[in-house]
Amino acid sequence: MGGGMALLFAEHGVTVSLNDPSEETMDQLIATAKKDGLHDRLQKHGDYQDLCSSLGSPKVFIFSLPHGTVGDTVVEGLHPYLDQGDIIIDASNENWQNTQRRQGMGVSGGYQAARRGPSMCPGGEERALDIVMPLLQQVAAKDSNGNPCVGKVGTGGSGHYVKMIHNGIEHGMMSALAEAWQIMNQGLKMGYDEIADEFARWDKAGELRGTFLVSIGADICRQKDDQGRYVLSIVEDKVVQDVDGSEGTGIWSQLEAVRVHVPAPSLTTAHFIRIASAFRANRKQAKAAFDGQFSVQPWDEASGDKTAVLENLRRAVYAVFLGSFVEGLNVIDQADRENRWSIDYGAVTQIWRNGCIIRADYITDMLADIFKDRHADKDVLHHVQIAPELKGAFPALKEIVTKSVQHNAVVPSLSATLEFLKYSTNTLLPTQFYEAQLDYFGKHMFDLKSEPEGKPVTGKHHFEWKLA
């Protein structure tokens, strides 16, 4: 993505000084710039001293590197040539804890957006952000009103934290859409072009309007290779980015949800199916051990009222999308309280307007309205605008999950969101029995129904269920 961003800055009239361990990589980038008429705005430099001497004051560095210790190595290398007031921005897909101690900026939208205008999520010292913000606003993606999708998120590592949770939300949304695709393709026996038309309908109006993933879903279903084959038909069912180390944000977002004690099942379950998919050989071995697989069965509606099923499916996918946002925002809120980042949720919503994978116009319109008030409760599950939306989508979600269970469709995120809504709004959970079990064998104590709910702290009561 770093190369794409270099070209993007050059396209906006900025002279860019390049440094990379691979001179070949820099030469290729300059060759691309030449084709685009930008070659006079890119200059390569072989070492940090030469790089720094090419820059004015304050010097602004933006790097996009593999996550881990590489960023520390680069900062250490630059340090001897820095002056007070110089700014280093880590624009990698980096762990937020690393950018607690240096300026960080999450960048979304993939390599294509990096070249044409990404969504950017900077956090850190406000004085530094004030200096670079005009530059970032110039190159950032723009919403439908021409406003840049970049803003000061908060202090410390908040920028990368929000970007990390963005990716967790992204996983929940991607899984739900993939589950819907399988239902249409294997359950309703719809061809790729017909599915593409359905996705296009979803993207045009209603709760899923202006949703990036739905839009590209239509493109994916229609695309053919030079042999006339649907490209999707030859893609293996393996997602390996979490396992091969190339993508860390999905893992970190799940760990964070658990660490800050926020239920985020739509996100977490989506991650589990990614992991299971990566180990296809294991699945093949298990299939042999089971003497077959639990194949998706044709849905009766393939020859009946398919229109009603598809409308329920659209509403069910919307429930997962909105539920994923709710869960993700709850995780961000808890981390914000813990780290005192003073996150601007209005800025976050604007960042998610365009140029990012989780762009969803209907949802961000609601969130923008809610977060006009900076003091609004960040737990939006019970907000007057959000709760009716999820309640209204619940019957469709339940219907789709029920039929999926009956017909063996694989629906981890759809079913996880259904359960999330059930247990998050229920005051008669089976954990009543769960708590009694804990007290029986571990003397873990419990609260009484006659007492106020209070905070999640150890109860004051124990019953000697059986004498030791």
Side-chain angles (χ1 to χ4, degrees):
M1 284 177 40
M5 291 189 70
L7 293 170
L8 177 65
F9 280 112
E11 192 171 66
H12 283 79
V14 179
T15 299
V16 180
S17 296
L18 303 172
N19 177 264
D20 191 278
S22 169
E23 187 162 348
E24 181 183 358
T25 297
M26 290 192 288
D27 288 340
Q28 290 175 348
L29 191 59
I30 290 173
T32 301
K34 188 174 183 178
K35 291 179 183 177
D36 294 346
L38 305 171
H39 62 284
D40 59 331
R41 294 182 190 152
L42 264 65
Q43 305 168 357
K44 68 176 182 178
H45 299 273
D47 56 54
Y48 291 147
Q49 184 175 11
D50 185 37
L51 173 70
C52 292
S53 66
S54 72
L55 300 173
S57 181
K59 294 185 282 291
V60 177
F61 304 88
I62 298 178
F63 60 73
S64 180
L65 302 164
H67 61 81
T69 60
V70 184
D72 291 331
T73 302
V74 169
V75 172
E76 290 170 6
L78 289 171
H79 192 266
Y81 313 108
L82 300 179
D83 298 313
Q84 186 173 1
D86 290 344
I87 300 169
I88 300 175
I89 300 176
D90 184 344
S92 315
N93 251 354
E94 186 55 270
N95 189 295
W96 66 276
Q97 292 173 314
N98 289 334
T99 53
Q100 280 281 73
R101 48 191 170 80
R102 63 171 177 261
Q103 208 79 18
M105 180 175 72
V107 179
S108 181
Y111 75 94
Q112 293 174 329
R115 175 65 184 91
R116 300 301 174 191
S119 161
M120 293 184 284
C121 195
E125 187 177 340
E126 188 166 7
R127 288 181 301 170
L129 293 178
D130 285 338
I131 292 171
V132 300
M133 194 56 63
L135 178 64
L136 300 179
Q137 290 171 337
Q138 188 178 354
V139 301
K142 306 300 189 291
D143 66 15
S144 59
N145 295 316
N147 299 312
C149 296
V150 62
K152 294 184 288 186
V153 173
T155 60
S158 60
H160 270 108
Y161 198 96
V162 170
K163 173 56 169 63
M164 172 188 71
I165 299 303
H166 161 288
N167 285 23
I169 296 170
E170 170 187 313
H171 291 184
M173 295 172 71
M174 291 177 72
S175 184
L177 203 62
E179 293 161 31
W181 169 81
Q182 187 191 57
I183 289 171
M184 285 189 274
N185 183 241
Q186 298 182 29
L188 297 175
K189 300 300 181 182
M190 294 169 61
Y192 288 167
D193 286 328
E194 189 180 2
I195 296 173
D197 291 342
E198 187 65 17
F199 282 155
R201 183 180 74 83
W202 293 3
D203 186 49
K204 188 175 181 179
E207 297 90 344
L208 296 179
R209 63 174 170 80
T211 300
F212 173 78
L213 287 169
V214 176
S215 173
I216 69 167
D219 292 342
I220 289 169
C221 288
R222 288 196 177 100
Q223 193 69 48
K224 294 182 179 180
D225 63 16
D226 55 8
Q227 299 179 43
R229 299 174 301 182
Y230 289 99
V231 178
L232 181 57
S233 70
I234 61 172
V235 175
E236 189 67 278
D237 63 343
K238 290 168 60 179
V239 175
V240 302
Q241 286 74 17
D242 307 297
V243 179
D244 68 9
S246 61
E247 171 61 73
T249 52
I251 297 171
W252 304 331
S253 58
Q254 312 316 318
L255 293 173
E256 276 299 295
V258 174
R259 188 188 69 82
V260 299
H261 312 299
V262 171
S266 309
L267 284 54
T268 304
T269 309
H271 188 71
F272 288 152
I273 191 174
R274 285 164 64 105
I275 296 172
S277 78
F279 296 96
R280 196 173 198 280
N282 290 7
R283 290 186 281 128
K284 191 173 182 179
Q285 186 177 8
K287 178 181 176 181
F290 277 64
D291 194 24
Q293 64 185 16
F294 303 107
S295 300
V296 180
Q297 302 300 312
W299 289 29
D300 297 337
E301 287 77 7
S303 58
D305 189 5
K306 190 167 65 175
T307 301
V309 175
L310 290 173
E311 177 58 16
N312 278 338
L313 186 58
R314 184 189 69 83
R315 296 275 289 161
V317 169
Y318 168 62
V320 180
F321 283 14
L322 182 55
S324 295
F325 273 88
V326 169
E327 294 167 22
L329 286 167
N330 283 345
V331 177
I332 293 171
D333 179 41
Q334 289 303 311
D336 186 21
R337 294 169 185 267
E338 178 185 278
N339 292 280
R340 298 182 179 179
W341 286 325
S342 299
I343 288 178
D344 183 344
Y345 289 85
V348 171
T349 304
Q350 177 59 31
I351 289 165
W352 290 347
R353 282 283 192 183
N354 198 15
C356 68
I357 308 302
I358 65 172
R359 189 196 80 209
D361 290 352
Y362 186 89
I363 293 174
T364 49
D365 280 350
M366 279 195 297
L367 295 177
D369 191 48
I370 292 169
F371 294 133
K372 283 179 183 176
D373 177 7
R374 290 202 63 166
H375 302 291
D377 191 346
K378 308 309 182 294
D379 183 357
V380 294
L381 179 63
H382 48 71
H383 191 276
V384 66
Q385 288 181 258
I386 302 295
E389 293 285 321
L390 289 169
K391 182 179 179 181
F394 184 87
L397 178 61
K398 182 178 178 180
E399 177 70 14
I400 291 297
V401 171
T402 300
K403 286 186 175 294
S404 296
V405 171
Q406 292 171 343
H407 295 85
N408 291 338
V410 180
V411 288
S413 285
L414 288 165
S415 57
T417 302
L418 179 69
E419 294 302 318
F420 171 72
L421 294 177
K422 286 163 60 180
Y423 61 65
S424 294
T425 59
N426 197 320
T427 56
L428 291 172
L429 294 176
T431 44
Q432 176 182 349
F433 186 78
Y434 199 143
E435 180 79 329
Q437 292 178 89
L438 288 166
D439 188 61
Y440 187 109
F441 66 74
K443 197 178 180 180
H444 287 288
M445 315 296 282
F446 56 86
D447 291 322
L448 297 176
K449 286 188 173 184
S450 58
E451 297 173 333
E453 285 78 6
K455 296 182 178 180
V457 295
T458 304
K460 300 177 181 179
H461 307 278
H462 168 67
F463 184 80
E464 198 65 25
W465 304 87
K466 182 179 180 180
L467 293 176

